[in-house]
Amino acid sequence: QVRLEQSGAEVKKPGASVTVSCKTSGYTFTSYGVSWVRQAPGQGLEWMGWISPYSGDTSYAQNFQGRVSMTTDTSTATVYMELRSLRSDDTAVYYCTRVLGDLSLAIGFWGQGTLVTVSS
Amino acid sequence: EIVMTQSPATLSVSPGERATLSCRASLSVSSNLAWYQQKPGQIPRLLIYDASTRATDIPARFSGSGSGTEFTLTITSLQSEDFAVYYCQQYNNWPETFGQGTKVEIK
């Protein structure tokens, strides 16, 4: 079955960078893109961007342009999301996600989430 | 960026009653709209995709309708496990965007 397994919680100081990993399994890694979605405490869902493990193509939301990078490691079927110049309002749970599949581009699969806390 | 607006922000419903949630897009998203349910401390769960198709294992009391800019999620005969926050999401254009959520609470 499709699984997205994320790295553990992180605590960072303002101005630092964080990298969250998402190890995938249960499907052909290069067949589907992976998106990242975050959720601040008590808030809604925010789409950050997308990467194609097949081509390496990326699309980032305007809010994160210049601060986020998404990469892949095909050998381990893992996707990485790096967020730089962290601010306190970057404190959130970060999810990697995959589309449902050939049926639809809706999000059908979610990682368990990684809490990133930014605090001095 | 397409703005998704959900209403109401909070919906108070008694168990067994019907709940109707709305989602409006600032531009047409065709039928590329999904609904998710999120309970406290849990990851979101896909309920409806392509505006009206129930996801696997979703009970028939959940239904979605609409296209273009106006969408509705209807939950008939609310069960105790249905009290949660519901989000709509458009995936017609990048950036994909979510509504701010509707909290369905027990009346």
Side-chain angles (χ1 to χ4, degrees):
Chain A
Q1 72 281 24
V2 174
R3 290 195 64 185
L4 306 173
E5 194 163 342
Q6 298 183 223
S7 49
E10 303 263 13
V11 179
K12 297 291 183 181
K13 294 194 183 303
S17 298
V18 68
T19 298
V20 180
S21 66
C22 172
K23 183 170 176 58
T24 72
S25 61
Y27 70 98
T28 302
F29 181 58
T30 52
S31 292
Y32 301 100
V34 170
S35 295
W36 289 86
V37 174
R38 77 175 185 179
Q39 186 170 37
Q43 303 301 308
L45 301 165
E46 182 178 24
W47 187 84
M48 299 179 66
W50 169 93
I51 184 166
S52 164
Y54 175 76
S55 63
D57 288 347
T58 55
S59 176
Y60 301 138
Q62 186 82 9
N63 286 351
F64 301 97
Q65 287 278 358
R67 283 208 305 142
V68 71
S69 295
M70 296 176 189
T71 57
T72 64
D73 181 343
T74 305
S75 67
T76 60
T78 301
V79 181
Y80 299 91
M81 187 281 298
E82 179 191 30
L83 189 61
R84 300 178 291 275
S85 302
L86 290 168
R87 308 183 291 250
S88 58
D89 62 359
D90 290 318
T91 294
V93 176
Y94 290 76
Y95 296 102
C96 60
T97 73
R98 203 211 82 174
V99 297
L100 190 59
D102 296 334
L103 289 174
S104 173
L105 296 180
I107 298 173
F109 304 95
W110 298 71
Q112 82 273 23
T114 297
L115 175 61
V116 175
T117 302
V118 183
S119 173
S120 54
Chain B
E1 169 175 318
I2 296 176
V3 177
M4 307 300 291
T5 303
Q6 292 186 240
S7 61
T10 304
L11 188 59
S12 298
V13 185
S14 299
E17 289 188 340
R18 178 190 197 96
T20 302
L21 288 67
S22 295
C23 176
R24 174 177 292 178
S26 60
L27 289 173
S28 174
V29 298
S30 186
S31 294
N32 295 311
L33 182 113
W35 291 93
Y36 303 88
Q37 176 194 68
Q38 188 177 34
K39 298 179 182 179
Q42 296 187 16
I43 65 172
R45 177 173 74 144
L46 177 65
L47 297 176
I48 301 288
Y49 63 91
D50 296 352
S52 60
T53 303
R54 270 192 306 278
T56 302
D57 295 331
I58 300 303
R61 63 180 181 273
F62 291 92
S63 63
S65 63
S67 66
T69 62
E70 300 282 344
F71 301 88
T72 300
L73 174 69
T74 302
I75 314 170
T76 58
S77 189
L78 268 154
Q79 306 295 302
S80 57
E81 62 266 30
D82 300 336
F83 292 96
V85 178
Y86 293 82
Y87 295 97
C88 63
Q89 178 219 11
Q90 67 81 18
Y91 44 93
N92 193 62
N93 294 86
W94 279 337
E96 297 182 7
T97 45
F98 293 86
Q100 78 280 18
T102 290
K103 181 179 181 180
V104 177
E105 63 176 25
I106 300 174
K107 187 174 182 179

